[in-house]
Amino acid sequence: MSLDPTLYRYIFHGTQLSVDPAYQSYLSSLLLDDLSTWESFDQGMALSVGKTVCLKVSPSDEQETVYFKRYLYKKNRWEFFLRRSKAANELINYQRLKKLNIATLDTIALYEQRSLGRLKLACIITKELRNTMQLDDFYKNVLLNMPKQQASRVFNSLKEQLFQQLRTAHNAGFFHLDLKWRNILIQQKGDTYTPIWIDCPRGVQRRYFNYSLKVADLSGFSRKALSFFSERQLYRMLRQYLGNTSDKSEAKKLFIDISEHLGRRPPKKTNP
């Protein structure tokens, strides 16, 4: 979807649908050109159900696969009163990531329904990225089974790319705030592996006074890593993230703060 900021405008009352023009006929084939169908849409494979529904939609072999996510608010419609919905925030954060040249998802449609400011329903549709795998699955099922020399090369490349992405985002004041390994996809194209950030409805943009947000991002990223790496290895990786201009005192303080943040909800011990 275009980075045109007018694609999302807050509405106080009524229904709003923004669609990438190239996908207008695609939505019509799913009957989503009818605004009344979004609340009950159930085509595709259910990946999650409940307050938030996520469907993997594959209309045919000739058409692209997309992901349909719906946030339905029945009990607390005041939660997003005069505030952006999670779906809208996710769209905006994908646009922010693209501006930073951080690989992410393409959005093809955004839908919102409000009654006098109270949010009833919000949906977002994103394109599937082919040849991708969540980082935790990729690490366990692919990387650890590669020949040693190849595994080392791929691991170092991904590590360098991820740290560069993190530095770029944080230096620009952008924080994902749910940067779990499952929210990072690894896409393979030939011998090249690229990390892709996804699922960021909680992300925020804050230029100043953002140290706690940096700690939160790095804590989320570190949580799964504790299953595979020692604290010494993680400290060395933190120094790589900080770059050559950092000193030991800065790294030590950040490492301690990340550990304390993780200590509030200690990671579950899992087998690699």
Side-chain angles (χ1 to χ4, degrees):
M1 185 176 270
S2 165
L3 297 184
D4 183 349
T6 61
L7 278 171
Y8 172 73
R9 281 183 286 185
Y10 175 84
I11 58 166
F12 182 75
H13 183 76
T15 301
Q16 177 174 253
L17 173 62
S18 300
V19 182
D20 183 333
Y23 285 85
Q24 191 67 58
S25 61
Y26 183 97
L27 291 190
S28 297
S29 72
L30 299 175
L31 304 182
L32 289 174
D33 52 339
D34 181 349
L35 298 182
S36 66
T37 61
W38 286 72
E39 184 172 350
S40 59
F41 182 79
D42 62 357
Q43 295 184 39
M45 180 174 63
L47 303 179
S48 64
V49 294
K51 182 179 176 181
T52 302
V53 172
C54 185
L55 304 170
K56 182 178 181 179
V57 184
S58 304
S60 69
D61 293 338
E62 291 76 30
Q63 292 179 293
E64 292 183 71
T65 296
V66 300
Y67 289 87
F68 175 98
K69 188 187 294 185
R70 177 173 57 231
Y71 301 92
L72 183 61
Y73 302 91
K74 290 185 177 180
K75 294 183 179 180
N76 186 10
R77 293 186 181 178
W78 293 97
E79 183 178 357
F80 290 92
F81 181 70
L82 301 181
R83 292 173 52 205
R84 283 199 303 258
S85 67
K86 286 185 177 180
N89 206 45
E90 190 166 353
L91 163 66
I92 289 169
N93 285 332
Y94 290 147
Q95 293 175 340
R96 288 168 172 165
L97 289 170
K98 285 181 177 295
K99 288 181 179 179
L100 295 172
N101 292 318
I102 295 175
T104 191
L105 299 179
D106 290 320
T107 304
I108 67 171
L110 177 73
Y111 174 97
E112 281 192 355
Q113 188 181 129
R114 291 181 184 267
S115 176
L116 299 176
R118 296 172 299 173
L119 183 64
K120 178 184 178 183
L121 180 68
C123 307
I124 185 171
I125 301 180
T126 54
K127 292 170 56 176
E128 179 188 51
L129 292 175
R130 297 182 178 180
N131 302 319
T132 59
M133 185 180 294
Q134 291 175 329
L135 176 57
D136 48 353
D137 291 334
F138 176 82
Y139 188 86
K140 291 183 294 184
N141 301 324
V142 178
L143 189 67
L144 293 182
N145 292 316
M146 287 180 176
K148 187 175 181 179
Q149 188 174 3
Q150 181 188 13
S152 177
R153 176 181 60 79
V154 173
F155 175 72
N156 287 331
S157 172
L158 286 174
K159 186 170 59 171
E160 183 178 338
Q161 290 180 76
L162 281 165
F163 292 160
Q164 181 60 53
Q165 289 175 336
L166 280 163
R167 279 195 301 270
T168 298
H170 292 173
N171 289 342
F174 177 81
F175 301 89
H176 186 289
L177 297 186
D178 197 19
L179 202 59
K180 304 168 185 174
W181 279 29
R182 69 169 181 252
N183 287 337
I184 298 173
L185 298 179
I186 303 301
Q187 184 175 52
Q188 180 183 2
K189 291 184 179 180
D191 293 330
T192 301
Y193 297 84
T194 304
I196 299 168
W197 292 23
I198 65 169
D199 203 9
C200 51
R202 301 179 185 176
V204 298
Q205 183 86 41
R206 187 184 298 175
R207 284 282 185 178
Y208 306 103
F209 306 107
N210 55 28
Y211 180 76
S212 63
L213 301 179
K214 179 188 293 188
V215 171
D217 248 8
L218 295 173
S219 297
F221 187 63
S222 302
R223 184 172 293 276
K224 187 69 177 182
L226 288 168
S227 300
F228 302 105
F229 305 105
S230 67
E231 288 194 358
R232 177 169 294 192
Q233 288 174 310
L234 291 174
Y235 176 77
R236 289 174 179 168
M237 292 181 194
L238 183 63
R239 292 299 303 271
Q240 287 181 271
Y241 154 77
L242 288 172
N244 298 328
T245 60
S246 67
D247 55 40
K248 289 185 178 180
S249 60
E250 178 185 2
K252 183 177 180 181
K253 180 182 186 309
L254 185 55
F255 189 81
I256 291 172
D257 290 339
I258 291 170
S259 298
E260 290 179 350
H261 191 277
L262 286 169
R264 299 174 192 171
R265 187 168 60 88
K268 296 179 181 179
K269 295 293 182 181
T270 58
N271 295 321

